[in-house]
Amino acid sequence: MSLLENISVAMQKGKAKEVVQLITEALGSGTSAQEILNGGLLKGMGELGARFKRNEVFVPEVLVVARALNMGTEALKAKLLEEGVTSIGKAVIGTVKGDMHDIGKNLVKMMLEGAGFQVVGR
Amino acid sequence: MAKQNFTETAYKNLSDFIYGKALYPVVLKNGMVIGGGTMYPEINFTLPTMTIAKETMPDVIANYKEIITGICERSKELQVPGFVAEIETLPPMTFEPKWGIEVCKTVVDIVKEYEVKHGIKGAVRITPNDIREGDDLEHMWHGRHWEAMLETFEGCAKTGADLLAIESVGGKEVHDEAVMYCDISKSIFALSVLGCTDMNKLWTEIVKISDKTGSIASGDTACGFANTAMVLADKSYIPRVFAAAVRVVSSIRSLVAIECGAKGPHKDCGYEGVYVKAITGTPISMEGRTASCAHLSPVGNVAACVADIWSNESIQNIKLLGGMAPTVSFEQLVYDCRLMNTASERDNETALLLRDLHADSDSRLDPQAYVLRPDVVLDISKELVMVDGYYPKAKKAASLAFSHIQSAHHKGDLLLSDKELMWLEKLNEAVEDLPDDVGEFTENIVGECEKLDPKKYDM
């Protein structure tokens, strides 16, 4: 398997530390940050997303992977900026003040962060 | 008031554990007896989409008048032996206690008017919001949020509310994360350490208000905890076995209200109330199939097995062909109760048959329904009362939930997918790995709770 495939597989298992280690390795071998992001991190996230749609995994498994994606993009941040790659975008989220049923909002916030958005909201 | 400690279950025999009858019924001022043999409907309602502000308060009040008048009229038409109307205030009505109190007074006055003029027996349950969250929350047990909640309780009690209840949220900030990640350790921490500590503080105050005003401190619900898990499980976001275990664990938290002096009926959306009834003998409200106007649940029939009042959860005041939605929903509850009461009047065997049909029709399909079966509830409750301390009880509750689910699946009494079975094993192992000592447990976990501010709990 190529390094990018390894990153994708480690991502799908939610192994954040391994993802970061593989990213360092890939950058060291001359792979661009953009290639790592698209061919490794986002590919892994996309494949897990498809499994979720097929009802094969639950949200906690997706969130663990989203956490690994966050750590991976953090490790790539400096290089991505160097390469001129811009952020996907900014999202603002909120819910009715005082409503205790706010878990849906929290889930969406985590998903957006996992997908690379900068999220403003509690 | 000295705290009650339940070291044995109130119910010993399964055949006594049935709907409509509680060992310690609640007698209301108008003579209605909850848990005294008659099932009563509990109608809950809310506003249509609208702003609640000073300028809109006349419209808000007009809506509540329309709702409760419609219910009282339908009550007359259907010769209802009695009913409970629950007002779950909306957050602005607790942030501004005078608004909540005005709404409560409006409903109480109309209910009392119908009682005097037409002999319709009705009671009002008031459920102020637990508004203790957000960045501006100073502390869980003092400050603006806490004061506003207690002011709403006391004002509503003085205006004639019969029953006081709340959906309290102590520990919810940690539990939300526990639910999202299916982290059973954090769930146990949120419910048994944070939740039980908060329940003790909160319900001691509610009981004081009850003693001062004559309103009855009724009960709480783990809505923000176990129902959140249930809704996510129903959407296939999290495993059902996790939600089922959270339900059983949440009973340890809800029980604290009764330990502090609450008398029941336990709040409708707290499905864990069946455990509270088994242990304390106090009456409970439950919601099931007739609450589908508010949300999906996998426990529509089994929820009725040992209920003492039967609720619709909530419905908006919108127009339907049969009338305004709260009136229509009330009628549905009335017919459910009529059927259950008729079975009880025939003889005990018929009532037990109806109870068991309610249980059997749901419990094979979902572990959340299975853990609400009267036989399972009684078995688990008998073991829970032998354990001392909230955390050890909660740990035991999770463990018992998993073992009952596992055993039912092996016997072919409960259907579980492979994905659920994998999580069942994983979650069970996580509980087995928990330390016995609550101090060690708290020390291990508190640093992992990102949203917890321990100072707000005096930790």
Side-chain angles (χ1 to χ4, degrees):
Chain A
M1 267 199 297
S2 72
L3 262 176
L4 291 182
E5 280 167 349
N6 284 340
I7 292 172
S8 170
V9 170
M11 266 285 299
Q12 289 175 62
K13 290 179 181 167
K15 294 188 171 174
K17 281 182 189 164
E18 197 181 321
V19 167
V20 173
Q21 198 186 327
L22 289 166
I23 286 174
T24 314
E25 237 176 275
L27 287 171
S29 69
T31 315
S32 76
Q34 177 88 71
E35 280 175 307
I36 296 170
L37 180 67
N38 294 333
L41 296 179
L42 294 180
K43 184 168 180 253
M45 192 71 200
E47 280 176 18
L48 187 88
R51 288 181 64 203
F52 179 68
K53 272 187 194 160
R54 292 196 300 268
N55 225 1
E56 291 171 10
V57 291
F58 290 114
V59 165
E61 285 135 322
V62 178
L63 292 180
V64 169
V65 174
R67 211 182 250 174
L69 177 65
N70 266 337
M71 286 180 69
T73 45
E74 196 57 38
L76 276 180
K77 208 173 185 177
K79 279 281 174 193
L80 285 168
L81 283 173
E82 233 174 68
E83 290 174 19
V85 178
T86 52
S87 133
I88 297 179
K90 193 183 273 188
V92 179
I93 192 163
T95 187
V96 179
K97 187 177 179 185
D99 185 355
M100 68 193 284
H101 305 100
D102 58 355
I103 199 165
K105 182 262 297 175
N106 296 337
L107 273 170
V108 172
K109 182 174 179 246
M110 291 177 79
M111 295 291 191
L112 286 169
E113 282 171 346
F117 283 90
Q118 184 194 344
V119 185
V120 181
R122 301 283 170 196
Chain B
M1 186 181 171
K3 266 189 70 183
Q4 287 191 80
N5 185 21
F6 297 96
T7 53
E8 52 184 296
T9 53
Y11 287 90
K12 312 290 179 213
N13 301 316
L14 185 59
S15 55
D16 298 327
F17 193 37
I18 193 166
Y19 66 85
K21 291 179 190 165
L23 289 173
Y24 303 103
V26 167
V27 182
L28 304 181
K29 286 175 197 160
N30 64 3
M32 273 173 72
V33 183
I34 296 174
T38 303
M39 282 292 292
Y40 295 111
E42 178 170 25
I43 179 75
N44 192 331
F45 38 78
T46 193
L47 297 170
T49 308
M50 66 185 291
T51 306
I52 302 168
K54 196 178 168 189
E55 314 78 70
T56 60
M57 274 309 284
D59 287 343
V60 168
I61 295 298
N63 259 282
Y64 280 104
K65 272 186 183 163
E66 179 183 52
I67 293 169
I68 196 63
T69 304
I71 289 162
C72 288
E73 280 295 320
R74 194 61 53 104
S75 194
K76 207 167 62 173
E77 286 152 6
L78 295 175
Q79 302 169 59
V80 174
F83 71 91
V84 177
E86 187 195 13
I87 311 163
E88 281 185 12
T89 61
L90 292 157
M93 300 175 196
T94 306
F95 279 111
E96 285 286 349
K98 63 182 178 203
W99 295 349
I101 296 164
E102 192 185 347
V103 166
C104 184
K105 186 175 183 318
T106 303
V107 173
V108 166
D109 285 351
I110 293 172
V111 169
K112 300 300 170 202
E113 186 190 321
Y114 269 81
E115 193 168 316
V116 172
K117 285 188 184 164
H118 308 285
I120 306 292
K121 286 194 186 302
V124 175
R125 186 199 303 251
I126 184 75
T127 306
N129 305 86
D130 192 338
I131 52 174
R132 295 172 298 163
E133 61 176 10
D135 290 344
D136 55 348
L137 175 70
E138 298 161 42
H139 192 276
M140 291 298 281
W141 309 308
H142 57 78
R144 190 172 67 89
H145 296 71
W146 174 254
E147 298 300 331
M149 275 166 51
L150 295 186
E151 191 184 331
T152 310
F153 267 116
E154 187 160 346
C156 292
K158 283 179 177 165
T159 205
D162 298 272
L163 302 164
L164 308 177
I166 192 165
E167 303 187 350
S168 69
V169 298
K172 183 180 169 287
E173 68 279 39
V174 171
H175 204 266
D176 276 354
E177 200 185 334
V179 171
M180 288 195 289
Y181 285 95
C182 285
D183 184 334
I184 193 73
S185 318
K186 272 189 192 160
S187 169
I188 288 174
F189 175 64
L191 289 163
S192 70
V193 179
L194 300 173
C196 289
T197 305
D198 181 58
M199 288 283 287
N200 269 294
K201 297 273 187 188
L202 179 60
W203 277 94
T204 300
E205 292 307 314
I206 297 171
V207 169
K208 277 186 200 164
I209 292 170
S210 157
D211 291 343
K212 206 158 58 173
T213 59
S215 293
I216 293 164
S218 59
D220 210 293
T221 161
C223 183
F225 304 84
N227 290 9
T228 301
M230 177 179 79
V231 169
L232 292 183
D234 288 342
K235 288 182 184 294
S236 300
Y237 287 176
I238 63 169
R240 289 163 190 270
V241 290
F242 177 80
V246 169
R247 177 66 64 198
V248 183
V249 175
S250 76
S251 65
I252 308 302
R253 193 201 75 102
S254 290
L255 188 65
V256 179
I258 313 293
E259 289 176 350
C260 292
K263 305 288 183 205
H266 189 256
K267 182 124 161 54
D268 55 354
C269 57
Y271 297 93
E272 71 282 2
V274 292
Y275 288 88
V276 174
K277 179 168 175 174
I279 293 169
T280 68
T282 53
I284 60 171
S285 181
M286 292 288 277
E287 62 188 44
R289 56 183 177 265
T290 321
S292 56
C293 52
H295 61 79
L296 167 72
S297 93
V299 296
N301 287 335
V302 71
C305 291
V306 299
D308 297 291
I309 42 180
W310 187 235
S311 159
N312 67 330
E313 161 67 24
S314 194
I315 194 159
Q316 282 186 298
N317 192 34
I318 53 171
K319 196 163 173 43
L320 303 178
L321 287 174
M324 296 307 282
T327 309
V328 171
S329 188
F330 179 65
E331 182 172 329
Q332 291 170 329
L333 293 170
V334 168
Y335 280 105
D336 283 346
C337 291
R338 199 183 274 181
L339 179 66
M340 287 192 268
N341 287 331
T342 303
S344 300
E345 282 157 18
R346 182 163 294 183
D347 53 45
N348 200 42
E349 284 67 39
T350 308
L352 286 171
L353 174 63
L354 182 58
R355 179 197 71 179
D356 293 344
L357 290 173
H358 274 136
D360 293 348
S361 57
D362 286 344
S363 69
R364 192 165 178 267
L365 301 175
D366 194 298
Q368 299 172 89
Y370 188 79
V371 297
L372 297 188
R373 285 184 62 89
D375 50 345
V376 175
V377 170
L378 210 47
D379 282 351
I380 292 180
S381 298
K382 282 177 182 170
E383 296 215 39
L384 287 181
V385 289
M386 290 193 286
V387 182
D388 194 26
Y390 296 131
Y391 165 64
K393 268 189 206 293
K395 198 178 143 188
K396 183 78 175 175
S399 173
L400 286 167
F402 293 138
S403 60
H404 274 77
I405 290 169
Q406 205 154 36
S407 146
H409 175 69
H410 283 157
K411 284 190 285 185
D413 293 340
L414 173 62
L415 301 171
L416 288 176
S417 68
D418 288 347
K419 205 167 55 154
E420 291 281 348
L421 286 168
M422 189 199 79
W423 271 92
L424 180 61
E425 197 182 327
K426 191 173 158 178
L427 292 166
N428 202 16
E429 280 170 11
V431 173
E432 280 170 7
D433 288 345
L434 291 176
D436 291 331
D437 178 63
V438 67
E440 185 189 342
F441 173 60
T442 303
E443 203 178 306
N444 291 348
I445 210 164
V446 82
E448 291 173 19
C449 301
E450 205 186 308
K451 289 190 173 173
L452 174 67
D453 180 355
K455 289 199 292 296
K456 287 180 181 167
Y457 291 85
D458 292 339
M459 286 173 85

PDB file of all heavy atoms in Angstrom, chain B residues 10 43 65 83 96 128 169 301 373 382 410 436:
ATOM      1  N   ALA B  10     -40.156  -1.782  46.807  1.00  0.00           N
ATOM      2  CA  ALA B  10     -41.510  -1.676  47.360  1.00  0.00           C
ATOM      3  C   ALA B  10     -42.344  -2.866  46.884  1.00  0.00           C
ATOM      4  O   ALA B  10     -43.142  -3.422  47.628  1.00  0.00           O
ATOM      5  CB  ALA B  10     -42.137  -0.367  46.919  1.00  0.00           C
ATOM      6  N   ILE B  43     -52.355  15.403  29.906  1.00  0.00           N
ATOM      7  CA  ILE B  43     -52.201  16.100  28.627  1.00  0.00           C
ATOM      8  C   ILE B  43     -51.154  17.200  28.756  1.00  0.00           C
ATOM      9  O   ILE B  43     -51.187  17.996  29.682  1.00  0.00           O
ATOM     10  CB  ILE B  43     -53.575  16.660  28.129  1.00  0.00           C
ATOM     11  CG1 ILE B  43     -53.435  17.408  26.808  1.00  0.00           C
ATOM     12  CG2 ILE B  43     -54.240  17.549  29.164  1.00  0.00           C
ATOM     13  CD1 ILE B  43     -53.263  16.508  25.628  1.00  0.00           C
ATOM     14  N   LYS B  65     -55.263  29.766  27.044  1.00  0.00           N
ATOM     15  CA  LYS B  65     -56.709  29.743  27.380  1.00  0.00           C
ATOM     16  C   LYS B  65     -57.456  28.829  26.417  1.00  0.00           C
ATOM     17  O   LYS B  65     -58.284  28.018  26.810  1.00  0.00           O
ATOM     18  CB  LYS B  65     -57.287  31.167  27.271  1.00  0.00           C
ATOM     19  CG  LYS B  65     -57.151  31.965  28.548  1.00  0.00           C
ATOM     20  CD  LYS B  65     -57.885  33.293  28.407  1.00  0.00           C
ATOM     21  CE  LYS B  65     -57.671  34.119  29.672  1.00  0.00           C
ATOM     22  NZ  LYS B  65     -57.975  35.529  29.492  1.00  0.00           N
ATOM     23  N   PHE B  83     -58.276  14.377  35.078  1.00  0.00           N
ATOM     24  CA  PHE B  83     -57.117  14.493  34.186  1.00  0.00           C
ATOM     25  C   PHE B  83     -56.060  15.380  34.820  1.00  0.00           C
ATOM     26  O   PHE B  83     -56.338  16.136  35.755  1.00  0.00           O
ATOM     27  CB  PHE B  83     -57.529  15.052  32.815  1.00  0.00           C
ATOM     28  CG  PHE B  83     -57.920  16.500  32.824  1.00  0.00           C
ATOM     29  CD1 PHE B  83     -56.980  17.514  32.603  1.00  0.00           C
ATOM     30  CD2 PHE B  83     -59.245  16.882  33.065  1.00  0.00           C
ATOM     31  CE1 PHE B  83     -57.343  18.852  32.625  1.00  0.00           C
ATOM     32  CE2 PHE B  83     -59.608  18.228  33.086  1.00  0.00           C
ATOM     33  CZ  PHE B  83     -58.655  19.210  32.865  1.00  0.00           C
ATOM     34  N   GLU B  96     -37.948  34.674  32.796  1.00  0.00           N
ATOM     35  CA  GLU B  96     -38.813  35.744  33.331  1.00  0.00           C
ATOM     36  C   GLU B  96     -39.912  35.064  34.129  1.00  0.00           C
ATOM     37  O   GLU B  96     -41.008  34.808  33.600  1.00  0.00           O
ATOM     38  CB  GLU B  96     -39.454  36.539  32.178  1.00  0.00           C
ATOM     39  CG  GLU B  96     -38.549  37.488  31.464  1.00  0.00           C
ATOM     40  CD  GLU B  96     -38.238  38.746  32.287  1.00  0.00           C
ATOM     41  OE1 GLU B  96     -38.892  38.975  33.325  1.00  0.00           O
ATOM     42  OE2 GLU B  96     -37.324  39.476  31.887  1.00  0.00           O
ATOM     43  N   PRO B 128     -41.221  23.946  35.306  1.00  0.00           N
ATOM     44  CA  PRO B 128     -40.349  25.032  34.824  1.00  0.00           C
ATOM     45  C   PRO B 128     -39.123  24.453  34.125  1.00  0.00           C
ATOM     46  O   PRO B 128     -38.729  23.308  34.387  1.00  0.00           O
ATOM     47  CB  PRO B 128     -39.938  25.760  36.110  1.00  0.00           C
ATOM     48  CG  PRO B 128     -40.934  25.334  37.143  1.00  0.00           C
ATOM     49  CD  PRO B 128     -41.329  23.939  36.758  1.00  0.00           C
ATOM     50  N   VAL B 169     -30.996  19.104  34.594  1.00  0.00           N
ATOM     51  CA  VAL B 169     -29.902  18.898  33.624  1.00  0.00           C
ATOM     52  C   VAL B 169     -28.504  18.807  34.251  1.00  0.00           C
ATOM     53  O   VAL B 169     -27.512  18.880  33.536  1.00  0.00           O
ATOM     54  CB  VAL B 169     -29.892  20.004  32.541  1.00  0.00           C
ATOM     55  CG1 VAL B 169     -31.166  19.992  31.735  1.00  0.00           C
ATOM     56  CG2 VAL B 169     -29.649  21.382  33.148  1.00  0.00           C
ATOM     57  N   ASN B 301     -45.949   0.611  23.534  1.00  0.00           N
ATOM     58  CA  ASN B 301     -46.888  -0.177  24.336  1.00  0.00           C
ATOM     59  C   ASN B 301     -46.327  -0.554  25.700  1.00  0.00           C
ATOM     60  O   ASN B 301     -47.014  -0.448  26.714  1.00  0.00           O
ATOM     61  CB  ASN B 301     -47.272  -1.457  23.586  1.00  0.00           C
ATOM     62  CG  ASN B 301     -48.214  -1.167  22.424  1.00  0.00           C
ATOM     63  OD1 ASN B 301     -48.926  -0.168  22.433  1.00  0.00           O
ATOM     64  ND2 ASN B 301     -48.203  -2.033  21.425  1.00  0.00           N
ATOM     65  N   ARG B 373     -39.641  -4.009  30.522  1.00  0.00           N
ATOM     66  CA  ARG B 373     -40.601  -5.083  30.861  1.00  0.00           C
ATOM     67  C   ARG B 373     -40.755  -5.154  32.381  1.00  0.00           C
ATOM     68  O   ARG B 373     -39.745  -5.136  33.106  1.00  0.00           O
ATOM     69  CB  ARG B 373     -40.083  -6.443  30.386  1.00  0.00           C
ATOM     70  CG  ARG B 373     -40.159  -6.719  28.898  1.00  0.00           C
ATOM     71  CD  ARG B 373     -39.701  -8.154  28.633  1.00  0.00           C
ATOM     72  NE  ARG B 373     -40.562  -9.106  29.303  1.00  0.00           N
ATOM     73  CZ  ARG B 373     -41.665  -9.634  28.769  1.00  0.00           C
ATOM     74  NH1 ARG B 373     -42.012  -9.314  27.545  1.00  0.00           N
ATOM     75  NH2 ARG B 373     -42.400 -10.487  29.465  1.00  0.00           N
ATOM     76  N   LYS B 382     -34.442  -5.293  42.245  1.00  0.00           N
ATOM     77  CA  LYS B 382     -34.134  -6.075  43.459  1.00  0.00           C
ATOM     78  C   LYS B 382     -32.632  -6.153  43.686  1.00  0.00           C
ATOM     79  O   LYS B 382     -32.175  -6.208  44.826  1.00  0.00           O
ATOM     80  CB  LYS B 382     -34.747  -7.475  43.357  1.00  0.00           C
ATOM     81  CG  LYS B 382     -36.242  -7.482  43.654  1.00  0.00           C
ATOM     82  CD  LYS B 382     -36.860  -8.852  43.485  1.00  0.00           C
ATOM     83  CE  LYS B 382     -38.362  -8.790  43.741  1.00  0.00           C
ATOM     84  NZ  LYS B 382     -39.063 -10.027  43.379  1.00  0.00           N
ATOM     85  N   HIS B 410     -29.719 -14.465  23.757  1.00  0.00           N
ATOM     86  CA  HIS B 410     -29.355 -15.893  23.662  1.00  0.00           C
ATOM     87  C   HIS B 410     -30.591 -16.789  23.678  1.00  0.00           C
ATOM     88  O   HIS B 410     -30.647 -17.802  23.002  1.00  0.00           O
ATOM     89  CB  HIS B 410     -28.420 -16.272  24.819  1.00  0.00           C
ATOM     90  CG  HIS B 410     -27.020 -15.786  24.595  1.00  0.00           C
ATOM     91  ND1 HIS B 410     -26.122 -15.567  25.610  1.00  0.00           N
ATOM     92  CD2 HIS B 410     -26.378 -15.452  23.457  1.00  0.00           C
ATOM     93  CE1 HIS B 410     -24.991 -15.117  25.094  1.00  0.00           C
ATOM     94  NE2 HIS B 410     -25.123 -15.035  23.788  1.00  0.00           N
ATOM     95  N   ASP B 436     -13.739   0.370  41.472  1.00  0.00           N
ATOM     96  CA  ASP B 436     -14.842   0.271  42.438  1.00  0.00           C
ATOM     97  C   ASP B 436     -15.024   1.570  43.214  1.00  0.00           C
ATOM     98  O   ASP B 436     -16.125   1.902  43.632  1.00  0.00           O
ATOM     99  CB  ASP B 436     -14.576  -0.871  43.439  1.00  0.00           C
ATOM    100  CG  ASP B 436     -14.667  -2.224  42.757  1.00  0.00           C
ATOM    101  OD1 ASP B 436     -15.429  -2.322  41.775  1.00  0.00           O
ATOM    102  OD2 ASP B 436     -13.966  -3.162  43.181  1.00  0.00           O
TER     103      ASP B 436
END
